Amino acid sequence: IRMLKDVRMRFIGNKTKLLKDILKVIDENCDGTEEIFCDLFSGTTSVSRFLKNRYKIISNDILYFSYVLQMGTIRNNEIPEFKKLKKILKINNVFDYLETEEYDRYLFEKFISNNYSPNGKCERMYLTCENALRIDFIRNTIEKWREQNLIDNNEYYYLIACLIEGIPFVSNITGTYGAYLKKWDKRALNKFEMVRLNVIDNKRENSCYNINANELINNIEGDILYLDPPYNSKQYSTNYHLLETISRYDNPVIKGKTGLRVCNKQKSKFCSKSQVNQVFEDLILNADFKCIFLSYNDEGLMSLETIKEIMEK
């Protein structure tokens, strides 16, 4: 029996190792009466998940795969039971079914296996053929169940979140999807498994968003605003394009050696040297929160002096 996990995927800037330090800084600077915590650049949701038992959470990220993780673990306050699915399809264990059910590869779309695993028309080695086909099968099946009204929204996002969390553990990459390895890494040869994600019930109605942070800030308010924006010129939408595509499963037009999405509207101004200061200042000036905390790299696009100057306003 696989245990429920509270795992963290490989992700640039992931704050897993700093969670206790973040909590320490919050406790040292807040009076304990705060009730609403906003994680405006949620990423893998590690901070939101860690603090969910303390606060009502508002989470957001411009990346859709982050939104999926938010909906699966932050918006949800319990692990779905899939009662309708089990009753109608007689599936005892949903995860075992998705991971082990025999399938006919010709009966579902194979966008991932056609474009991100080696075959006669593709040389990309992000995933082994076996794992890519299994991911395609799982993603198609989840979508079909939703269309057939066999799962609700909470169940839908939870399943995709569990799928997405498992992908980095069999991806043939060094850390991001900006490039794949030319030889198979040991982890890439493992058999794909979904991650059984744990869900904390904080007895509150948490909110999740998938929009530009500077747009959202005008429509929310709360007690603690936690900011963890990009700090260099590398766009996250490029570095994690495969997770975006699997989350959306929208058969995008792709290009280049790495199969990047052609239609990419998720570029962040925080990754632009000429725009970051202004976009950060706009964000701070429009924030209606009691406390604001910022995580930032001291070698980032904004200097410490600029950050101080803007936040002191």
Side-chain angles (χ1 to χ4, degrees):
I1 299 175
R2 299 187 185 93
M3 299 296 291
L4 292 170
K5 298 178 181 179
D6 192 20
V7 300
R8 299 290 180 261
M9 67 168 65
R10 290 182 288 174
F11 191 79
I12 296 174
N14 193 315
K15 294 299 180 290
T16 304
K17 295 181 179 179
L18 298 178
L19 292 174
K20 292 182 179 179
D21 296 302
I22 292 171
L23 180 58
K24 182 174 182 290
V25 173
I26 290 175
D27 286 341
E28 289 174 347
N29 291 278
C30 294
D31 59 21
T33 63
E34 297 78 16
E35 297 183 359
I36 300 176
F37 179 92
C38 177
D39 187 4
L40 203 59
F41 300 84
S42 292
T44 60
T45 69
S46 59
V47 176
S48 292
R49 290 189 217 176
F50 183 68
L51 296 175
K52 188 181 177 186
N53 62 346
R54 271 195 170 209
Y55 308 105
K56 172 182 177 178
I57 302 293
I58 300 173
S59 64
N60 173 68
D61 203 283
I62 198 171
L63 294 174
Y64 185 73
F65 90 82
S66 173
Y67 177 69
V68 167
L69 298 179
Q70 295 169 47
M71 290 293 287
T73 61
I74 303 302
R75 184 70 180 86
N76 270 335
N77 266 337
E78 62 181 6
I79 297 171
E81 296 183 8
F82 307 102
K83 291 181 179 179
K84 189 174 183 179
L85 189 65
K86 292 177 179 179
K87 179 180 180 181
I88 295 177
L89 296 187
K90 308 300 181 184
I91 296 175
N92 183 45
N93 187 305
V94 175
F95 289 95
D96 285 352
Y97 174 87
L98 291 172
E99 291 174 341
T100 64
E101 179 70 5
E102 293 186 10
Y103 55 75
D104 185 338
R105 61 187 297 172
Y106 299 104
L107 296 181
F108 56 86
E109 290 186 43
K110 298 179 287 296
F111 189 85
I112 303 305
S113 55
N114 284 344
N115 294 287
Y116 297 100
S117 65
N119 56 66
K121 298 180 180 180
C122 176
E123 296 181 354
R124 300 183 187 108
M125 295 175 60
Y126 281 109
L127 299 159
T128 63
C129 297
E130 179 185 1
N131 284 334
L133 277 170
R134 178 56 63 177
I135 289 167
D136 275 321
F137 169 74
I138 293 173
R139 192 63 187 84
N140 276 274
T141 302
I142 295 173
E143 208 64 37
K144 181 177 68 174
W145 285 346
R146 189 191 201 188
E147 292 170 358
Q148 295 174 342
N149 198 31
L150 293 173
I151 55 176
D152 60 25
N153 232 30
N154 292 337
E155 294 167 331
Y156 174 77
Y157 283 109
Y158 181 74
L159 284 176
I160 301 179
C162 293
L163 167 65
I164 292 298
E165 284 276 13
I167 291 169
F169 294 99
V170 295
S171 294
N172 195 40
I173 59 175
T174 57
T176 77
Y177 296 85
Y180 54 84
L181 298 174
K182 301 303 189 302
K183 295 182 179 180
W184 292 113
D185 183 76
K186 184 178 179 180
R187 77 164 61 213
L189 299 177
N190 292 329
K191 185 177 180 180
F192 175 75
E193 292 184 355
M194 300 171 71
V195 173
R196 280 66 164 165
L197 288 169
N198 194 19
V199 176
I200 294 172
D201 183 4
N202 64 357
K203 311 296 182 184
R204 298 174 173 93
E205 187 174 346
N206 307 289
S207 303
C208 304
Y209 298 92
N210 177 220
I211 61 177
N212 185 290
N214 284 64
E215 295 177 19
L216 180 60
I217 200 67
N218 294 297
N219 300 305
I220 57 174
E221 61 182 12
D223 301 307
I224 300 174
L225 176 63
Y226 175 71
L227 304 175
D228 184 20
Y231 60 86
N232 60 32
S233 59
K234 295 180 180 179
Q235 293 284 346
Y236 279 70
S237 56
T238 299
N239 278 329
Y240 298 95
H241 65 95
L242 185 55
L243 299 184
E244 282 291 289
T245 295
I246 295 173
S247 296
R248 294 179 180 274
Y249 214 72
D250 53 356
N251 298 323
V253 176
I254 60 176
K255 66 176 181 179
K257 191 171 184 179
T258 57
L260 294 176
R261 299 169 64 90
V262 171
C263 182
N264 182 8
K265 299 179 180 179
Q266 301 156 296
K267 292 185 177 180
S268 172
K269 292 182 179 178
F270 282 90
C271 298
S272 169
K273 179 73 172 177
S274 63
Q275 300 181 85
V276 62
N277 291 353
Q278 186 59 57
V279 73
F280 180 64
E281 182 166 355
D282 290 344
L283 183 62
I284 295 298
L285 293 178
N286 288 313
D288 187 7
F289 283 81
K290 174 181 172 183
C291 307
I292 301 177
F293 295 89
L294 173 71
S295 289
Y296 205 71
N297 191 299
D298 58 7
E299 296 180 354
L301 295 177
M302 287 191 295
S303 66
L304 179 59
E305 291 71 23
T306 297
I307 292 172
K308 284 183 177 181
E309 179 184 339
I310 291 173
M311 295 190 79
E312 283 175 351
K313 293 181 180 181

